[in-house]
Structure formats: structure tokens, C-alpha cells
Amino acid sequence: MAKITMVQAVTNALDEELARDDKVLVFGEDVGNNGGVFRATDGLQKKYGDKRVFDTPLAESGIIALANGLATQGWRPVPEIQFSGFIFECFDEIAGQMARQRFRHAGSRTCPVTIRAPFGGGVHAIELHSDNVEGLLAQVPGLRVVVPSDPYDAKGLLISSVRSDDPVFFLEHMRIYRSFRQEVPDEAYTVPLDKAEVKREGSDVTIITYGYMVRESLNAAEDLAKEGINAEVVDLRTIAPLDEETILNEVKKTGRVVLVQEAQRLTGVMASVASLIAEDAILSLDAPIARVSAPDTPYPCSDAEGAWLPNKDDIIAAVKKTVNF
Amino acid sequence: MKKLDFESLKHNPEYKVLQVLDTDGKVVDKDLMPDLTDKELVELFKAMIWSRLVGDQTAKLSRQGRLGFFAPTAGEEASQMASNFAMDKGDFLLGAYRDIPQLVKHGLSLAKGFMWSKGHYNANDYPEELNALPPQIIIGAQYAQTAGVALGIKLNGKKNVAYTYTGDGGTSQGDFYEGINFAGAFHAPAVFIVQNNGYAISVPRKLQTAAPTLAQKGVAAGIPSMVVDGMDALAVYAAAKQAREYATEGNGPVLIETLTYRYGPHTLSGDDPTRYRTKEEEDEWHAKDPLVRMRKFLTDKGLWDDAKEEAYNAEVAKEIDDAIKEVESQPEQKASDLLKFEFVETPAAIQRQIDAYEEKEAK
């Protein structure tokens, strides 16, 4: 057991899977000799050779199409899209092709592809690098969308994703890559897909969130505890399809819910979570559902991130409003 | 400052149109004549007749409402059937929506081909041994995926190719270029076929690009390319067969442009070709009919006659009848089945919907 960062946990998971299954292929722009722009694939080409870990031409549609084609020949591709804002270049290959492969074959074929892409704000990246595109992906039937919030989950969820015979979009928040370390087992282990996790138990209010906002929510919960408000924090982990059971159970337990996402209000997945709660747990609510999210503009210039991104204070304010309703 | 000669900077490689049979069924290029046995020549011609008959019948059944979507193929039998005839069962086919004849001759049952037209999920319930993807609706996607299939074949060390088709309009897509470029960069065994029938729905070929040939687009990927008389089955076969050999020998992909024509509309979904084509133009292409010249060639060799053709027509009519009966005996499609096809490991949220639909369907 070592204390490692999330980006090391990602490398670790890819290393485990490349070693375990010789059908696993890792490829993308600069993932080979260079080891990735975030070093997420560092050392893997040297260890497994350029037939298993390789660079591609600079074309996202070609990359995901390559993955979809390789999957027909029994390979288990783990392609990388360098930054989340570039998925528009390959949206047909994701939504029009990969996600419906099993469905359109009436179950007679599978498409075991795991796409990795960094995303998320707070690192002052240039335009179309940080965009929260997970809501678009979450609206694609047939696709699982996984967003880990810490190194332990990142390793276990990535191993589960690579082993899954269904396609997975695995989003890695750039602000979590190196901002903290966590104890992570050296050996392979899995964290189940489709399962949310209660990261902090609480009895007064349920904060439901994912990605980097899990950190902000946990910090908010610590501050709130000092004021006698006991908030629980649920990390969705798989944001599509949703873990409806955990969401409904936790909301019923506290009767108060605050939904927190970094994405703009009209994007992300919290509108879906809110509608689920309204449909199936409304009689358990003691206060209206509160939502914390970014303004409905395109992702801002990097210097405006501080004004634009939701943070701990926004979460605390929303929780207090809900608790005092 | 020296004046640059822009006209000389245009890159227009010379392509001689490859042809073996002229419109009278006479061999005009003995050197390119493919090495086919008499039996194989007849088999190839039968595949072309089969395609014409199945196409005619599909159009009728579609108009009667017994089948659905159909993109006519009449006129393209040499381009489609002869290229497919050059491939091996172990090769992987990625066709577009007009390439159902190749798919059926590659191993899909005709009944499933018809089910695809009708819109029944069993159409794409593929047998394990069928090396193909269902017809692609997103123009260009099949090209981009072909590079991946071909790389997969190469990594598996198999002596096979991935082969794919698009039309003239499809060459304008980004995925068209990405596909041939990726296959080139990975030296992957792929055969890319562009069936240039002159029109993308109503838009003539000359509005797609200023390039005088579509084959020369291969230059941008650094791969070999050629133009073939797409109404000449033997020329198409010769080109496809040699491209396949070149690719399986580890040399990388090839791009083939076939010059062809569709006699019918773009699809049966409301397209009216009289808006954009003239009778004279259609007559000109009917005179180049791939079946007519192949029939003359085989008749001259004593390999074909009217009696043989009548007998074969009857055989195909029976095959079509049987296939339609199978289509019409398919189970009704249920929402719960559709939900079950979505994931290998069904998430709880989807299972909840399956349960709800099964309850509704049981009533």
C-alpha cells in the first residue's frame, strides 16, 4: 500500500490491465513514447511495447473509430482523448457507433472499449480543455459514464471499466490528478460500476455530487459540522446510468437534498437526479431540492474560473437554505 | 519576386480507367484479364443477376409496404458483386446502406437482409462466423472503422483484409480521409472502395470536389489508388483481387474508385431522379449495363444461354419467396427485449425499466 496521486492510480490500473490481458491496447495522441500529456501512460510503452501502447495520428474521430474497429477483432481498446473539449470531433464514433454496437446487433456482438479523457476546471487551462461534457455523454443510451473523485476509486473503477464488456467513458478530473495523495493497494482490485458511495455519513441533509465537487462537498461538510449541521456526502461515481437505489435511500433518510455539480445548470446530470427524486421520493422531502452548479455560459476564460466555478461556500449556502427551509 | 505558377502546383495524377470488357463484352485488355475458371465466371455472373433480381423485388415489396428502407443497386452489380467476389470469407466487410448485396453474398441470410429493410432487430443478430458490421447509415463512419478492423486483423497476424464501400458524396466526409490516412499510417490491410455513381442524392459529383478524380484522394494518405470501369465486372474483380493481395502481403491499404451509375432513385424514401438527371444521361449508362456485357462475354464463350438464365431466375424467385416468409414470421418486437440488448451487465436503473415493460407486456 502506497500513498499515490490519482494520475498515478490511473497509470497503475492501466499497467495492471495490460499485464493481465494481452488483448488490452492503450493508444491516443502522445500516449506512447511521451507517456501522455499528464504522464498517465508513463513507462507503459517501454514495458509492453509499441504494439500494445502506441501513438496515433491527430484525429479524434479516427482514434475512436480505430477502437471500435479493433473491438470487432477481439481487442480490448483503451483509447485516450487528450482533453474533454475534443470529444465533439468524435461524437458520432461515441454516441452513433460505440454505445449502440451491442444494441444494434441484438446482443450478438459487444464493444468493450474504455475511453479515457481528462476534464474539469480550476487548473487555468486554455479554451475547450476543462469543459464539463459529462451531461452530453450521460444522455447517450448504451454508454456508462464513470467519474472518479479520488485515487482509490480511480484505480478500482478504471480496472472495472477496462474489464467490462460494455463501453465506458472514463472522465478524469484534472484538478484531482495531483492535488492530493491517498493510500491505494499495490495489487489489482475493482470498485463496482453503477454504484454510488456514501463518502461521509450524515443525518441532516444529503449532498449528492461527483468528480472534483466531492472534495468541495466534503470540505463544506466539515465546516457545517462545526455549526452543528450533519451533512452526508454521496459520490455518484458512475453518473450514467444512475444508482437510483442509493440516491433514493439516502434522500429518504435525511429528507433534505442538495445536488452539487461543477457543470453548468442545464448540463451535467443533476437535473436527472432531481427528476428521479421528484418522481420517487417527493413525499420524503422536508424541503425543496437545492442545486449548486455553474452559470449557463460556455466554459469561461481561465482567469474567470474563480468567479465562475461553484465552490465550498456555494455548497454551504445551499445546505443552510435547505436545512432552514 | 518570382511569380509562382499555380496551375503547375495543382496535383492531378493521370489515372487510366482500368477496363477488361467493353460494352459488347469483348476483352480489350488481355493482360488485366483475371485468372478465373469458367465455373467462377458463371458464379460471378449469377451473383450479378441475383443482385438485380433481389433489388427489383425489394423495390416492389417496399412499395407494397411489406419491406421498408431500400437504396436501389441496379447498375452497380459489377462494382458491388465483383469486388465482393474478390474477397475471402475471412475478410471483414464494412458496407454502407447501399451495400446489402455484398453483405448477403458474404454470409448474411437474405431473410436478415430483408429484415434490415423492414427494421427488425433480428436483422443484425449476426452468426458468430459472419465477418461484417451491419450496413452503416452514417456516411464515412465505415471508412474510419475500417482502419481499426484492419489494424485488428494485422495485430492478430491474419492474412485477411477489411474492405469497405462509400459513394462519391462520402469522399467529402472527414471520416473518409481519417480512415484512409489511419490505415496508411498503420500499414493496415484494408481495401477502400468508392462507388462513384455520379450523384449524392441530387448533388452531382463535380460539386463534391475540384479534384478531377476521387481516386487521387489516396495521394493525401500516401496510399496507392486507381480508377476502374465500375460497369465492368472483370476489371473491378481484377482491381479488388490485386488490392487484396497487396494489402495481405503487408503493404498497407489501397483505394479503388469505380465509375458506375444507379438506374433507380437514391432511395425509395421519396427521391425523384428526374429532378436532377436527364433521360439521355440515363440511356447512355444503360448502354454500359454491367449485366449485358458480362452476358455477351459468357455467351460468346459458350458458358451461358437463355435456358440457363431462366432456370436461374426461377431459383432466385424461390429464394426471395422463402426469405420473405421468414421475415413475416418474425416475433413482434418488444421494448423489454430492446432494453436487454443494451448492456452485457444490465445496470439496475435499466433493469427497473425492463421489469416495468415486462409487466406492461404481460397484460
Side-chain angles (χ1 to χ4, degrees):
Chain A
M1 197 98 106
K3 279 197 129 189
I4 60 171
T5 61
M6 188 172 88
V7 74
Q8 288 170 324
V10 167
T11 315
N12 218 315
L14 294 173
D15 193 354
E16 293 285 354
E17 290 312 284
L18 282 160
R20 183 190 62 85
D21 181 352
D22 61 15
K23 286 295 183 186
V24 172
L25 301 175
V26 171
F27 53 90
E29 297 158 6
D30 307 289
V31 305
N33 181 41
N34 193 44
V37 292
F38 290 104
R39 301 287 172 264
T41 54
D42 200 20
L44 297 178
Q45 189 181 66
K46 198 165 243 178
K47 195 165 171 186
Y48 298 99
D50 60 6
K51 284 193 170 61
R52 303 283 309 284
V53 180
F54 54 89
D55 290 320
T56 64
L58 201 167
E60 285 75 16
S61 187
I63 291 169
I64 306 307
L66 196 74
N68 291 339
L70 282 161
T72 69
Q73 302 306 303
W75 296 93
R76 193 169 284 274
V78 189
E80 178 183 294
I81 296 300
Q82 206 159 56
F83 292 98
S84 64
F86 310 166
I87 69 160
F88 304 111
E89 302 297 328
C90 51
F91 215 71
D92 173 55
E93 284 297 332
I94 297 167
Q97 310 295 326
M98 177 177 80
R100 53 203 299 149
Q101 214 54 286
R102 184 174 196 269
F103 177 83
R104 72 197 289 251
H105 277 101
S108 65
R109 294 289 189 279
T110 58
C111 194
V113 176
T114 301
I115 304 176
R116 295 179 39 251
F119 83 112
V123 296
H124 296 278
I126 193 68
E127 194 171 16
L128 282 161
H129 279 49
S130 306
D131 289 55
N132 296 91
V133 292
E134 71 272 18
L136 291 172
L137 297 166
Q139 288 208 7
V140 175
L143 186 63
R144 269 190 183 81
V145 184
V146 175
V147 189
S149 67
D150 60 37
Y152 181 89
D153 279 359
K155 180 171 173 180
L157 286 168
L158 184 52
I159 289 177
S160 295
S161 300
V162 174
R163 292 181 188 179
S164 170
D165 286 328
D166 295 314
V168 176
F169 205 108
F170 195 86
L171 281 159
E172 301 162 7
H173 201 292
M174 288 188 277
R175 199 172 184 176
I176 315 175
Y177 264 156
R178 291 191 169 84
S179 57
F180 63 96
R181 289 170 181 269
Q182 192 182 24
E183 294 272 355
V184 171
D186 297 328
E187 67 280 4
Y189 61 92
T190 58
V191 168
L193 302 177
D194 309 332
K195 290 278 180 223
E197 188 184 50
V198 178
K199 293 279 191 207
R200 186 187 196 280
E201 294 281 352
S203 50
D204 296 330
V205 58
T206 301
I207 299 172
I208 299 175
T209 185
Y210 60 93
Y212 173 73
M213 284 297 133
V214 174
R215 309 307 298 167
E216 293 286 321
S217 298
L218 288 169
N219 291 336
E222 290 306 312
D223 288 5
L224 287 160
K226 288 172 201 153
E227 298 183 47
I229 299 170
N230 193 0
E232 83 173 5
V233 177
V234 177
D235 178 1
L236 290 175
R237 301 197 295 195
T238 295
I239 62 161
L242 290 166
D243 178 358
E244 298 182 340
E245 193 187 359
T246 302
I247 293 168
L248 294 172
N249 284 346
E250 298 310 315
V251 168
K252 283 173 188 168
K253 199 172 92 184
T254 64
R256 289 184 160 82
V257 61
V258 176
L259 308 179
V260 181
Q261 66 179 20
E262 180 180 303
Q264 296 90 330
R265 191 174 168 84
L266 66 77
T267 74
V269 294
M270 285 313 171
S272 291
V273 176
S275 118
L276 170 73
I277 296 166
E279 282 178 87
D280 292 334
I282 198 158
L283 297 178
S284 306
L285 291 182
D286 297 321
I289 299 166
R291 288 166 66 191
V292 175
S293 50
D296 280 326
T297 70
Y299 196 93
C301 311
S302 57
D303 232 20
E305 278 183 328
W308 192 86
L309 286 168
N311 58 30
K312 184 178 78 171
D313 294 339
D314 299 321
I315 300 166
I316 290 172
V319 167
K320 284 184 177 170
K321 198 176 156 193
T322 303
V323 171
N324 298 324
F325 176 77
Chain B
M1 185 170 69
K2 184 176 79 177
K3 200 162 165 56
L4 298 172
D5 177 4
F6 286 92
E7 288 310 310
S8 77
L9 293 173
K10 276 187 184 168
H11 191 70
N12 290 328
E14 288 290 327
Y15 285 96
K16 182 177 172 289
V17 178
L18 300 178
Q19 193 186 48
V20 173
L21 290 184
D22 67 10
T23 51
D24 290 325
K26 301 282 182 246
V27 175
V28 291
D29 187 345
K30 283 195 177 68
D31 297 337
L32 194 61
M33 181 70 195
D35 191 15
L36 287 164
T37 63
D38 289 352
K39 191 165 167 271
E40 286 168 333
L41 285 168
V42 169
E43 207 184 317
L44 168 56
F45 184 50
K46 278 183 170 176
M48 294 165 69
I49 299 175
W50 174 90
S51 181
R52 180 74 56 93
L53 293 173
V54 168
D56 290 351
Q57 207 53 33
T58 309
K60 275 185 203 144
L61 290 160
S62 179
R63 290 196 176 99
Q64 290 165 9
R66 292 170 75 189
L67 290 178
F69 178 87
F70 178 57
T73 54
E76 302 194 15
E77 292 84 358
S79 172
Q80 294 184 320
M81 300 284 75
S83 55
N84 194 62
F85 200 73
M87 302 299 162
D88 184 83
K89 284 280 178 244
D91 296 336
F92 198 97
L93 166 64
L94 295 99
Y97 48 80
R98 205 181 300 282
D99 303 311
I100 322 299
Q102 297 98 302
L103 192 53
V104 173
K105 285 297 170 192
H106 198 54
L108 189 75
S109 72
L110 179 57
K112 282 186 188 285
F114 283 149
M115 281 177 220
W116 186 80
S117 165
K118 194 160 194 248
H120 195 290
Y121 58 63
N122 274 344
N124 298 348
D125 179 5
Y126 279 10
E128 179 101 28
E129 66 281 4
L130 178 60
N131 292 306
L133 281 175
Q136 180 57 255
I137 295 298
I138 302 302
I139 295 170
Q142 74 277 24
Y143 258 57
Q145 288 167 12
T146 294
V149 175
L151 180 60
I153 289 170
K154 182 181 169 174
L155 292 175
N156 281 324
K158 287 166 70 185
K159 285 271 176 207
N160 285 109
V161 296
Y163 65 112
T164 187
Y165 298 83
T166 192
D168 39 307
T171 62
S172 301
Q173 288 279 4
D175 272 358
F176 166 85
Y177 169 69
E178 288 185 32
I180 61 174
N181 188 58
F182 267 60
F186 289 113
H187 304 286
V191 179
F192 293 99
I193 299 164
V194 173
Q195 305 191 97
N196 174 5
N197 64 26
Y199 293 89
I201 306 188
S202 67
V203 179
R205 143 74 183 87
K206 67 175 191 299
L207 287 183
Q208 296 295 340
T209 175
T213 68
L214 299 176
Q216 74 192 81
K217 295 199 169 209
V219 173
I223 66 172
S225 56
M226 62 188 91
V227 182
V228 182
D229 179 350
M231 308 298 264
D232 172 3
L234 297 184
V236 171
Y237 178 86
K241 184 77 178 171
Q242 292 196 42
R244 182 186 183 277
E245 279 166 14
Y246 178 85
T248 54
E249 282 161 9
N251 300 305
V254 177
L255 179 67
I256 300 172
E257 175 187 2
T258 64
L259 301 176
T260 181
Y261 201 75
R262 59 170 156 82
Y263 298 152
H266 165 66
T267 68
L268 294 188
S269 314
D271 176 41
D272 172 13
T274 63
R275 281 169 167 265
Y276 54 86
R277 293 198 309 217
T278 61
K279 171 93 173 44
E280 292 70 40
E281 182 186 293
E282 288 184 1
D283 288 347
E284 189 188 309
W285 281 93
H286 275 284
K288 297 178 185 170
D289 193 295
L291 268 65
V292 169
R293 67 173 93 169
M294 192 67 176
R295 187 182 287 113
K296 280 180 180 161
F297 170 73
L298 291 177
T299 306
D300 289 350
K301 278 175 81 80
L303 295 173
W304 197 252
D305 55 41
D306 290 351
K308 280 187 175 137
E309 184 142 347
E310 264 171 52
Y312 186 62
N313 288 353
E315 211 177 289
V316 177
K318 164 114 180 31
E319 186 188 346
I320 294 170
D321 265 0
D322 290 349
I324 284 296
K325 281 190 192 110
E326 195 180 331
V327 173
E328 292 178 345
S329 67
Q330 288 304 300
E332 219 171 288
Q333 304 184 81
K334 293 184 296 188
S336 60
D337 289 334
L338 300 175
L339 283 158
K340 286 173 196 169
F341 295 147
E342 195 176 4
F343 292 99
V344 177
E345 288 163 83
T346 299
I350 299 297
Q351 187 56 49
R352 198 177 169 202
Q353 293 185 26
I354 294 174
D355 296 344
Y357 277 101
E358 280 184 339
E359 202 181 307
K360 179 183 154 196
E361 287 154 6
K363 279 175 190 161

